[in-house]
Amino acid sequence: METRGETEAELRRARDAAEAANAAKTRYLVAVSHEIRSPLNAIYGYAQLLEREGAISPVEAGQVIRRSAEHLTNLAEGLLEIARIESGVLKLRSDIVPLPLFLDHVVDMFQMQAEAKGLTFNYVAKGRLPRLVRTDEKRLRQILINLLSNAIKYTQAGSVTLSVSYRSQVADFEVTDTGIGIEAEDVERIFEPFERGNSPDAKAQPGIGMGLAITRLLARILGGEVFVRSAPGEGSNFQLRLFLPEPNVAPASDPEVSPVTGYAGSSKTVLVIDDNLSQTSVMISLLRPLGFEVFTAAHGAEGLALADLCEPDIVLLDIQMPGLTGWEVADRLRAKHGTALPIVMVSANAHDYRAGGDEGSSHDAFVTKPVDLEALLDVIGRQLGLEWQYGLKELAPGEAGTGPLPGSAGPFFDKLRLLAKTGHVREIETTLAQLAADVPESAPVVALLREHVRNFDLRSLVKVLDHVDLR
Ligand code: ADP
């Protein structure tokens, strides 16, 4: 039993938190109206001057009015963006991003801008970067654009450098400049909405002080953080650390990668609770061929009962259902089975979005409808720690498998199998060249094997070797 003292302390804490939130909201609204007022005043003033014909050149007035309108538009967009992030409505995408290529595009975008200002732009990729990562591409681009455009904006001479390194699913980006730097007392403040640097050099640059606020919020919802190290006159160093997992499911749209056909280990059971029949049948036809046992329930109560009977390894749970909502079902499942039973919420309503997976939450992940099958497999794989198995790439007629190959190809295949085990990619390439030269009929198979070598996909290479027919 809670004592009265404890209850009062709790109430006091809740009241203090509510008051603090209210005060923050008021400060925010004051800042917003201040921000809106200055461009509005400019528009108002210049419009009146225009009305008094001859008081001012229309071109000059037009410029001020246009700039003020742009400022207001940026402000409205920034405010909406912050509101979307903070309310959790922002729908994060789970894109498979070709990281090196993506960064090349970002670099291209800024190289010219920097050079036009007489700055040197450097791009340094430290060590190996994964070919593909999974994240929200647009948001990642937005973060980098904010940091890089600031670096160029607040640097008058010298250089801007973007460097990237990657380790254990985490990417470290650094944007370093030789610009005006930041005063110690501004370092934390500038991440708040509308806060700008106080130095005259900072104020001399146009801006509304929203970029870093959005950058930090975005970085956090993408599973990361932004830090800054800087001193006035000594340039700045912004560090962005982000969780950028390599996808463990081959994207169906990437023709170079073969699709998932199953997973290693014992069969797993999935319980799908959804009142929409077509949704459950999509799940069944996706998951059964991959070796999952799938049970379905059309509403929450049935799902709860079935969970006791079928002992699922994971639950896919719709939110809007007749009777108990998905959230209520999740709470009950969690209360009964604990965190050992992962729960993935599946919803068509972006307003429902809650990432999940944190302490105290009843679900572990969130997938939006219409369900992106790759994203769903990625979530299931991660929740269950599955090791996916990939099938053979479909061969176009005549591309390979054009009938049995001469027995003289046999020794080459034996050697390739051995080399694949030890991972000797160079030797594999040499052996493939010899095979192509000695046994011309093997050209289509060699082409396919080369593709797997290029992707460092030795598992698929071995599968092809196991399937070749010898005369
Ligand atoms: P804005 O640039 O529109 O003012 P930001 O939120 O992007 O808004 O940045 C907030 C403030 O942080 C800037 O006004 C500036 O004082 C400081 N700042 C950001 N990036 C840099 C940088 N690379 N060098 C120096 N100051 C910076």
Side-chain angles (χ1 to χ4, degrees):
M1 270 281 284
E2 267 187 7
T3 65
R4 196 157 140 216
E6 276 170 14
T7 315
E8 273 173 11
E10 219 163 82
L11 282 175
R12 227 180 359 258
R13 267 197 300 278
R15 190 199 57 208
D16 290 350
E19 278 174 4
N22 250 339
K25 197 158 108 194
T26 308
R27 269 202 311 278
Y28 188 66
L29 286 176
V30 169
V32 172
S33 35
H34 173 79
E35 283 304 314
I36 293 176
R37 200 161 302 224
S38 8
L40 267 186
N41 281 344
I43 292 175
Y44 190 48
Y46 276 83
Q48 290 180 67
L49 288 176
L50 272 181
E51 275 174 345
R52 279 199 251 146
E53 277 172 44
I56 190 173
S57 101
V59 174
E60 193 189 329
Q63 278 170 352
V64 175
I65 291 174
R66 186 176 45 76
R67 268 203 307 273
S68 304
E70 278 167 10
H71 188 91
L72 283 171
T73 311
N74 290 339
L75 192 70
E77 271 167 18
L79 285 171
L80 269 181
E81 184 81 353
I82 289 185
R84 272 197 293 264
I85 303 170
E86 289 196 328
S87 63
V89 174
L90 186 88
K91 197 169 143 193
L92 274 189
R93 291 178 51 94
S94 172
D95 305 309
I96 294 186
V97 183
L99 186 64
L101 201 69
F102 164 87
L103 288 171
D104 284 347
H105 289 169
V106 172
V107 169
D108 285 346
M109 219 189 306
F110 284 96
Q111 191 117 35
M112 255 174 20
Q113 270 189 44
E115 277 162 13
K117 207 176 163 185
L119 304 174
T120 314
F121 190 93
N122 307 305
Y123 169 50
V124 189
K126 297 182 194 157
R128 186 195 83 94
L129 296 184
R131 194 170 71 91
L132 299 170
V133 294
R134 192 180 276 289
T135 189
D136 186 320
E137 178 169 354
K138 184 172 152 213
R139 305 297 169 186
L140 174 60
R141 185 179 295 111
Q142 197 178 351
I143 294 178
L144 292 174
I145 287 178
N146 281 349
L147 294 178
L148 287 166
S149 48
N150 272 351
I152 293 176
K153 179 159 78 168
Y154 296 106
T155 302
Q156 301 313 327
S159 65
V160 169
T161 303
L162 168 68
S163 64
V164 193
S165 60
Y166 187 91
R167 234 185 112 211
S168 314
Q169 315 285 307
V170 173
D172 279 298
F173 300 87
E174 284 192 45
V175 175
T176 312
D177 64 54
T178 57
I180 60 171
I182 300 165
E183 309 273 347
E185 63 264 27
D186 288 346
V187 159
E188 266 312 306
R189 204 172 51 78
I190 53 173
F191 286 98
E192 298 297 324
F194 309 119
E195 295 289 353
R196 306 198 62 211
N198 269 330
S199 72
D201 283 343
K203 285 194 171 142
Q205 297 302 323
I208 56 172
M210 297 275 265
L212 286 181
I214 294 176
T215 300
R216 177 166 271 181
L217 285 173
L218 283 177
R220 287 183 177 163
I221 58 163
L222 285 185
E225 190 49 281
V226 188
F227 309 95
V228 60
R229 272 192 317 223
S230 181
E234 289 180 17
S236 308
N237 170 250
F238 283 84
Q239 296 151 43
L240 165 71
R241 168 162 270 216
L242 273 191
F243 177 59
L244 284 189
E246 285 187 77
N248 48 13
V249 178
S253 53
D254 186 340
E256 286 183 9
V257 190
S258 42
V260 165
T261 52
Y263 51 90
S266 60
S267 159
K268 304 283 180 203
T269 301
V270 182
L271 171 59
V272 181
I273 310 179
D274 197 319
D275 60 322
N276 182 334
L277 261 182
S278 55
Q279 184 68 25
T280 44
S281 47
V282 166
M283 298 288 186
I284 291 175
S285 37
L286 167 73
L287 297 172
R288 282 209 181 131
L290 300 181
F292 290 98
E293 285 243 40
V294 185
F295 291 88
T296 64
H299 55 82
E302 188 187 343
L304 288 168
L306 201 53
D308 289 337
L309 296 174
C310 73
E311 296 182 348
D313 294 293
I314 187 164
V315 178
L316 305 181
L317 184 50
D318 182 27
I319 294 178
Q320 273 158 7
M321 292 184 289
L324 294 173
T325 69
W327 297 119
E328 288 164 337
V329 177
D331 287 343
R332 294 191 194 185
L333 285 172
R334 183 78 5 131
K336 184 143 191 202
H337 302 270
T339 48
L341 174 60
I343 299 174
V344 180
M345 306 309 286
V346 185
S347 173
N349 192 344
H351 290 280
D352 287 331
Y353 180 77
R354 287 184 227 160
D358 11 297
E359 226 176 293
S361 78
S362 292
H363 69 296
D364 302 276
F366 192 104
V367 176
T368 44
K369 282 186 195 172
V371 172
D372 169 336
L373 299 183
E374 281 158 31
L376 179 70
L377 287 185
D378 189 57
V379 166
I380 294 179
R382 245 184 289 158
Q383 292 297 333
L384 297 181
L386 296 181
E387 187 191 325
W388 294 112
Q389 289 170 336
Y390 299 91
L392 282 177
K393 189 174 165 261
E394 290 285 326
L395 301 181
E399 189 190 354
T402 42
L405 292 173
S408 57
F412 288 102
F413 291 129
D414 294 340
K415 185 168 177 200
L416 285 168
R417 235 175 250 123
L418 266 179
L419 292 171
K421 265 196 199 137
T422 47
H424 275 92
V425 173
R426 276 267 163 73
E427 285 267 320
I428 292 177
E429 280 167 347
T430 318
T431 313
L432 284 175
Q434 285 166 355
L435 171 62
D438 284 16
V439 189
E441 299 95 316
S442 68
V445 178
V446 168
L448 181 60
L449 292 170
R450 281 205 175 117
E451 202 177 305
H452 290 317
V453 177
R454 253 202 313 279
N455 293 325
F456 295 101
D457 185 359
L458 299 186
R459 207 165 9 175
S460 299
L461 179 121
V462 172
K463 280 204 173 160
V464 174
L465 294 175
D466 287 345
H467 282 75
V468 279
D469 262 356
L470 292 178
R471 254 181 245 146

